[in-house]
Amino acid sequence: MTIGEFAGGPVRESVRAAMTPSVAPATDNRPGGSDSGERLLLPVPDEDGAPFWEYAARGELRIQACDGCGALRFPPRPCCPHCQSFAARWQRMSGRGRIWSYVLPHPPLLPAYAALPGYNAIVVELAEAPRIRLVGNLVTAADAPLNSVDPARLRIGAPVKAAFHTLPEGMTVPRWLLERP
C-alpha cells in the first residue's frame, strides 16, 4: 500500500514536495565568486526565525526567550518547550561564546565549497546560554573568505565573538572571530 492509497488519494507527491528542503543558492563573498557561477547556500528564514535574521541585519545577536518562564530557545519556535507558553521576546546576547565543536569538510559536498579548501564549520556555545549553540564559520574578519583561518588554529573551547557579514544577496549572517587572535 502506498501513501496515496492509505490516505485515499494522490498525496505521495505532495508529501514528497513538503519534505524537500528549499534552499536558496547564494554567491559567496570571494572576488569573482558571483561571476564564476559558483553558489554557496543561504539560510532560508521561516516565520518563527525571521526576527533572528532581522536583528542580524542590524548587527545584533538575539535569541528567542519565553515570556512565560524566561527560558532561551534556539532554533526559534512558536511554543516554549519548558512551559508551553506562546509568548516570546527576543533577548540580546553579548555575541561571545566558545567553540563547542568544529569540522573541516573533506571533500566538500557542493562545487562552490570545493573552491574554498580548508574552510571550517563551527558550533558555538553562547557565553550567557551554554545550552544554546549556533553553527557558523570562524573567519579572520566579518567579510573575510570562509577559509581565512588556518585550520590548525581551531580549538575546542576557544573563545569567539560574533561578527556580521552582509552577503551580496542582501542577507546578513553571523560569523565568528577568535577573541584572542
Side-chain angles (χ1 to χ4, degrees), residues 121-149:
I122 65 172
V123 179
V124 173
E125 177 180 76
L126 296 182
E128 305 94 329
R131 296 179 74 179
I132 303 288
R133 297 181 184 123
L134 304 176
V135 176
N137 303 100
L138 185 66
V139 291
T140 56
D143 60 350
L146 296 183
N147 62 349
S148 62
V149 171

Side-chain angles (χ1 to χ4, degrees), residues 2-181:
T2 67
I3 293 173
E5 292 168 342
F6 178 74
V11 296
R12 173 178 274 178
E13 291 308 312
S14 64
V15 169
R16 182 174 292 132
M19 292 175 59
T20 303
S22 63
V23 178
T27 58
D28 84 89
N29 61 320
R30 290 176 296 134
S34 60
D35 296 335
S36 66
E38 296 174 355
R39 304 272 182 207
L40 299 183
L41 300 177
L42 273 179
V44 179
D46 60 9
E47 186 178 334
D48 297 320
F52 176 86
W53 301 107
E54 291 166 13
Y55 285 115
R58 295 186 219 166
E60 297 178 22
L61 183 63
R62 292 193 182 232
I63 299 295
Q64 192 181 46
C66 176
D67 260 347
C69 69
L72 295 172
R73 60 183 186 250
F74 195 87
R77 49 194 168 265
C79 180
C80 176
H82 305 285
C83 73
Q84 287 70 51
S85 171
F86 284 89
R89 60 185 157 66
W90 287 84
Q91 184 171 320
R92 190 172 189 158
M93 302 280 110
S94 69
R96 296 195 173 338
R98 66 181 192 92
I99 297 176
W100 186 78
S101 185
Y102 67 90
V103 65
L104 300 169
H106 297 287
L109 300 175
L110 298 172
Y113 293 88
L116 297 166
Y119 80 95
N120 62 71
I122 65 172
V123 179
V124 173
E125 177 180 76
L126 296 182
E128 305 94 329
R131 296 179 74 179
I132 303 288
R133 297 181 184 123
L134 304 176
V135 176
N137 303 100
L138 185 66
V139 291
T140 56
D143 60 350
L146 296 183
N147 62 349
S148 62
V149 171
D150 179 355
R153 298 188 63 207
L154 292 167
R155 296 281 184 267
I156 302 294
V160 293
K161 62 183 175 185
F164 296 89
H165 173 66
T166 302
L167 297 167
E169 295 76 18
M171 177 166 240
T172 301
V173 296
R175 291 183 170 181
W176 300 92
L177 309 173
L178 287 170
E179 284 234 50
R180 291 178 235 133

